[in-house]
Amino acid sequence: MSDANQEHVDDSSQDRERASDFKSFMHLTPQQVQDTSRAFQEWEDGPFSHLTGLSIPDQSAHRGFRFSANGLLFDGLLSAKVYCDSLTGVSGSDQDQDPVVADLVTSGRIEFTAKGVSHDVTPGRICIRDTRASWEFSCSPGTRLRVISIPRHLVFSRAYSPAALNQAFISDVKTPEVRFLTNFLEAIEKSSDDLDQSHSAQGIALDACASVFSSMLSDRSIAGLQEHPNATLTAARHFIEKNLDRHDLSPVMVAQTVGVSVRTLHRFFSESNDSVMAFTRRRRLQKAHAEMMSQGSTAKISEIAARWHFADSSHFIRHFKSFYGATPAAYLRNHSGSDRRDTDG
């Protein structure tokens, strides 16, 4: 930019030192914030070209605006660590060339809204979406995230069903598939020297990343995250099953993952004569029961209760007796006696 008070460096141009390096930096003063259309012209032809209607909220304008991105960019694949101040706009413009984008938030938050459905992406969560559909977004001040962008056609060609791309994938960064994705991206970044020297290596990285994205989106579609009670229940139960060992598992987390409100989630469970917490407690009891039976007389009830996130031993014993008809100790004695009688017989 010609204005001395505004800095913007975009190393996606051909004269950068390395073919895969990407850096972008923007610092707007409060006065420059008034002309955001000019400020964001630099993004029209780069990896952020799917962002339109960008605006810096009035309540944040007095602080100016900062943005920075550092990472890799090659053949349409972007993986960058981003810092962004308060910003609103639209992600996606109904164009086939718009990419599939993942935002993994580490601090701050971003809210995406499409067709009346909102997804609040908070620290420790990821949102993957097809930007061919338009998503309104709002980024809170000082948000830090990893942005991954990949050409849509590469993901689309690998998806089990075109419908897989019609929905956002919202998940926790601790899930195995998201951990795999982040570890894979870190491996790509560590191999930047090889990527610079080999188009074949770039192609392998691009194909692998597209396969990971399409699998994650297709699995979500198969899990049945359509706006239908039975499908939502199936998806919610599936998520709970995979996360029974987490101490912070909650209705809020489940609702955010399956893309409905907490109230709607509770209603769907209620219509099946169940509840979120009752289902969770029942499955944890069954896991604890299986563990207890495998350990037999050596089972330590207090440790098993803690491992499956019951408040204390008495809490676990009370629920166990209600479900299995006996306390854990009595249950073990009875079944141990039955096993001996079967053996003797």
Side-chain angles (χ1 to χ4, degrees), residues 110-258:
I110 306 177
E111 183 179 36
F112 294 100
T113 302
K115 298 180 180 179
V117 177
S118 294
H119 299 295
D120 194 23
V121 189
T122 51
R125 300 186 66 74
I126 189 173
C127 174
I128 304 178
R129 66 199 186 283
D130 176 14
T131 62
R132 189 182 187 279
S134 295
W135 295 81
E136 295 181 3
F137 74 90
S138 174
C139 178
S140 67
T143 293
R144 296 182 184 275
L145 66 155
R146 179 195 286 267
V147 175
I148 308 104
S149 176
I150 189 167
R152 181 178 184 272
H153 71 275
L154 294 177
V155 180
F156 187 88
S157 64
R158 291 165 171 79
Y160 303 147
S161 165
L165 296 182
N166 292 339
Q167 305 155 28
F169 175 96
I170 309 292
S171 188
D172 190 278
V173 297
K174 294 181 181 179
T175 60
E177 56 268 35
V178 179
R179 287 204 308 268
F180 178 84
L181 174 63
T182 55
N183 290 337
F184 172 72
L185 292 170
E186 289 173 1
I188 290 179
E189 292 170 3
K190 291 177 181 178
S191 303
S192 58
D193 289 340
D194 296 326
L195 292 172
D196 275 335
Q197 298 171 20
S198 170
H199 287 293
S200 177
Q202 292 182 14
I204 292 171
L206 194 63
D207 288 344
C209 194
S211 296
V212 171
F213 270 49
S214 63
S215 294
M216 293 169 76
L217 289 167
S218 296
D219 286 347
R220 172 54 52 87
S221 180
I222 291 170
L225 290 188
Q226 300 88 352
E227 292 301 314
H228 187 280
N230 292 336
T232 301
L233 270 176
T234 299
R237 288 168 176 158
H238 177 70
F239 178 79
I240 291 171
E241 288 280 357
K242 291 176 63 177
N243 293 276
L244 287 170
D245 59 342
R246 291 190 54 167
H247 74 279
D248 56 346
L249 180 63
S250 68
V252 172
M253 179 186 294
V254 178
Q256 288 179 340
T257 299
V258 301

Side-chain angles (χ1 to χ4, degrees), residues 244-247 280-281 283-293 295 298-321 328-329 332:
L244 287 170
D245 59 342
R246 291 190 54 167
H247 74 279
T280 303
R281 183 171 58 245
R283 292 299 297 130
R284 281 175 168 167
L285 274 173
Q286 291 168 340
K287 291 286 188 180
H289 169 268
E291 184 176 340
M292 193 178 74
M293 295 304 293
Q295 295 178 10
T298 64
K300 295 183 179 180
I301 303 304
S302 60
E303 292 182 1
I304 292 175
R307 185 153 42 250
W308 293 105
H309 304 295
F310 290 88
D312 50 45
S313 295
S314 61
H315 187 231
F316 171 68
I317 291 170
R318 182 170 66 255
H319 285 294
F320 188 96
K321 184 177 181 179
L332 278 173

